[in-house]
Amino acid sequence: MNTENETTKNEPKTQAQLDLEEGLRFFKEKDMPQAANAFHNALRGFEEEKNDKGIANAADRLGDICCERGDFAAALTHFQRAFAIAATPGDELSMTYMKRKLARTHRGLKQYTEAMAIYADLLDVYRDFNNPGGAVQVFEEMAEMYLDMGERSKAADAYRTAANIHQSFKHSRHAETLLQKAAAAEKGSI
């Protein structure tokens, strides 16, 4: 989500925008209680303003706070709200960003079927946009999820697929690291 101030220089920032900026500062400083409070205030302000983009940004950040605390159920609620707003035509970048967060949150909840469906969708998106870097990240996250599930051979396959993408771009060091992870996954040493 784009958290930049979209007002012109002549327009003063609203209290909700100021609260969001304060929350971002607290989040960066790792002061999660203060960040959560500021993001909550921003969310309420954006709701009063009927500012969908602001609501999505604040909900997204509240989801991040919940993930930091390990409260994946609450995070999912916030991320789903942000995703619903981002799912408007023409905002594919925000949708992809939110899908990654949704997949990780489902994984945190051990809802592997839901996470895998989102990862499969993301792979299609990255293929359509010719984004091999995004695909590599998804394969690595899928490998980690397979490890969580105890499916070592599938984890190894995902690591090898990511390595193959790196090899096709002559990124031999990255490819070798992923191949080592694949071997370790198969041996059960990671």
Side-chain angles (χ1 to χ4, degrees), residues 102-120:
L102 286 168
R104 290 182 196 130
T105 305
H106 281 294
R107 180 178 160 211
L109 289 167
K110 298 187 183 343
Q111 297 172 343
Y112 300 124
T113 302
E114 293 86 346
M116 191 56 69
I118 295 170
Y119 283 135

Side-chain angles (χ1 to χ4, degrees), residues 17-160:
Q17 291 167 323
L18 294 171
D19 288 337
L20 183 68
E21 289 173 7
E22 182 178 51
L24 292 169
R25 183 176 54 81
F26 284 130
F27 190 83
K28 186 176 180 181
E29 294 170 358
K30 306 230 183 286
D31 186 346
M32 296 307 160
Q34 290 286 64
N37 186 52
F39 292 142
H40 177 76
N41 290 341
L43 179 62
R44 296 295 165 236
F46 288 130
E47 288 171 340
E48 289 174 13
E49 296 171 9
K50 298 186 183 346
N51 178 337
D52 283 342
K53 191 168 204 129
I55 291 168
N57 283 324
D60 174 37
R61 292 308 183 153
L62 283 168
D64 291 339
I65 296 279
C66 293
C67 282
E68 287 283 324
R69 292 189 330 227
D71 186 353
F72 295 107
L76 184 61
T77 300
H78 291 298
F79 289 149
Q80 286 172 328
R81 185 173 188 191
F83 179 77
I85 294 169
T88 58
D91 199 2
E92 286 79 17
L93 184 62
S94 292
M95 282 179 35
T96 301
Y97 172 80
M98 290 309 307
K99 284 180 183 181
R100 296 275 304 271
K101 288 188 173 197
L102 286 168
R104 290 182 196 130
T105 305
H106 281 294
R107 180 178 160 211
L109 289 167
K110 298 187 183 343
Q111 297 172 343
Y112 300 124
T113 302
E114 293 86 346
M116 191 56 69
I118 295 170
Y119 283 135
D121 184 49
L122 284 168
L123 288 173
D124 288 341
V125 168
Y126 289 135
R127 184 194 65 235
D128 292 345
F129 286 111
N130 194 23
N131 182 343
V136 165
Q137 290 174 346
V138 169
F139 279 116
E140 288 186 69
E141 288 179 26
M142 288 171 60
E144 292 168 6
M145 185 175 69
Y146 283 131
L147 289 171
D148 292 346
M149 298 166 63
E151 305 228 10
R152 298 195 166 282
S153 65
K154 288 182 180 180
D157 287 343
Y159 281 131
R160 277 193 286 274

